Amino acid sequence: MSSTSHARARLRDRRVYLRSHPLLFGLLAATRGRAVRRLGRTLLVHGPDAYREALTRLPLDRTAAGTTGAAARAALRDGEGVLFDQEGGGHRADRRGLAGTLGAAGVEELRALWQPLLVRRLAPLARGGEVDLVDLARELSGAVVCALLGPGADPRAVAGAAAEAAAASVRSHLPGPRRPRAEAAAARATDRLRLLLGPADEALSAMVAVAAVNTTVAALPRAVAWCADAGLWDQAADAALRPVLADELLRVTAASPLLPRVAAADGAVGGCPVRGGDRLLLVARHAAAAHRRDPDPRRPAGPAVARLVFGAGPHACPGARLARAQLADVLGALAPYRPVVARARVDRGAALPGWRALTVRAGAAGAAA
Ligand code: HEM
């Protein structure tokens, strides 16, 4: 694939960062020349080895303010802890529960659920119509979450509440004075989500729903747009290349681009001394070389680098297998239409950089086929 087509894809994809958090991503781009850079009590961690080291070797304070764990705990108002903020035995027990449903057999069962949904939702493309991939990703992730956690719930309502809970939680944790209204909005959205998902372990279910919906709704449309803009549909149509293409697209779009963490004790990351209480901004996007290496299923970055977008160590994303299989299936279902992007609008209020709407229609080659 020519570098010009990837440049076009990159140009569109950059808009999701520049419209939502221009200053933050400007700062991260300006400092990425070094694996680790200290700014006061904050370390910006860009290099793959340093990023992995921070997640696997350094003791982290998972309940410190400004971290993902603290945001999860505050939104759920749950003293017990829920995955992101847990450690040790309780964490391992909850992970074991998820490993069953999100393992190879579990994902195979879920594919049987989403494949007919994809056929139905993409049918308008055959008639010259348009499909909004954000809307599709919401329904898809809502349906998966309901199948896993809340049978009987309405997938769209679950996806809507999960998105609102994450967005309000991010708003309430912005630097600066406390934002009681945003905190209350986050708690309300999370309560709605817990109600929708029903009586199972509500806090854990709500946590998994938020993690699954927001990443999927950010990742799928961005990956499809890149595929369309760079003209990668031949690779998406090839059953052998497709899973690797999916991994590569997840790598370059790095849906969860920044992991905010806090060190619990003194140590070192990438040769740079760390003190307990130091803030770490772990830049998944740079660790996975998303900014400098185009997606190429014939010469992929390889799992050791590509998987960094899912974190590393004991808290690494348990939904990675599901996310990879789902994107591969979405690409496979779209490939016959050779879609092009008709319209795209950034979601400036979402928890993760992404599109509010990303509409595709069949391209000339797909429409003629
Ligand atoms: C493109 C899609 C996805 C991306 C990029 C992504 C990324 C991540 C990242 C970076 C973490 C933090 C890892 C760490 O701290 O080392 C995480 C954690 C998590 N993810 Fe995902 N994720 C995705 C999809 C999903 C899905 C589909 C599910 C559920 C079905 C899910 C469930 C979770 C959960 C429950 C955690 C917390 C794990 C823990 O703290 O033990 N994720 N994810």
Side-chain angles (χ1 to χ4, degrees), residues 55 83-84 91 95 98 102 208 211-212 215-216 219 250 255-256 259 261 309-312 315-319 322-323:
L55 287 169
L83 287 174
F84 281 103
H91 179 246
R95 291 279 306 206
L98 274 181
L102 296 175
V208 175
T215 47
T216 307
L250 287 171
S256 180
L259 313 186
R261 301 286 184 265
V309 295
F310 292 106
H315 284 263
C317 178
L322 188 158

Side-chain angles (χ1 to χ4, degrees), residues 18 21-33 37 39 42 44 46 258 281 283 286:
L18 297 180
H21 302 290
L23 292 179
L24 176 59
F25 283 95
L27 170 73
L28 296 180
T31 56
R32 71 188 175 209
R37 193 174 300 241
L39 296 178
T42 301
L44 306 178
H46 301 284
L258 193 60
L281 290 183
V283 191
H286 294 160

Side-chain angles (χ1 to χ4, degrees), residues 67-166:
T67 63
T68 317
R73 181 171 283 218
L76 293 165
R77 289 175 296 180
D78 203 291
E80 296 283 300
V82 272
L83 287 174
F84 281 103
D85 61 335
Q86 278 175 310
E87 297 283 10
H91 179 246
R92 277 196 297 276
D94 280 350
R95 291 279 306 206
R96 263 198 305 279
L98 274 181
T101 41
L102 296 175
V107 168
E108 217 35 57
E109 270 179 42
L110 289 167
R111 291 185 75 204
L113 168 100
W114 73 56
Q115 274 169 335
L117 191 153
L118 284 177
V119 172
R120 173 171 59 78
R121 291 293 262 101
L122 298 181
L125 296 177
R127 303 190 292 271
E130 294 183 346
V131 173
D132 176 5
L133 264 304
V134 176
D135 197 45
L136 171 65
R138 274 199 208 110
E139 186 174 346
L140 202 58
S141 58
V144 163
V145 165
C146 289
L148 285 174
L149 310 163
D154 170 7
R156 280 170 183 280
V158 166
E164 178 51 30

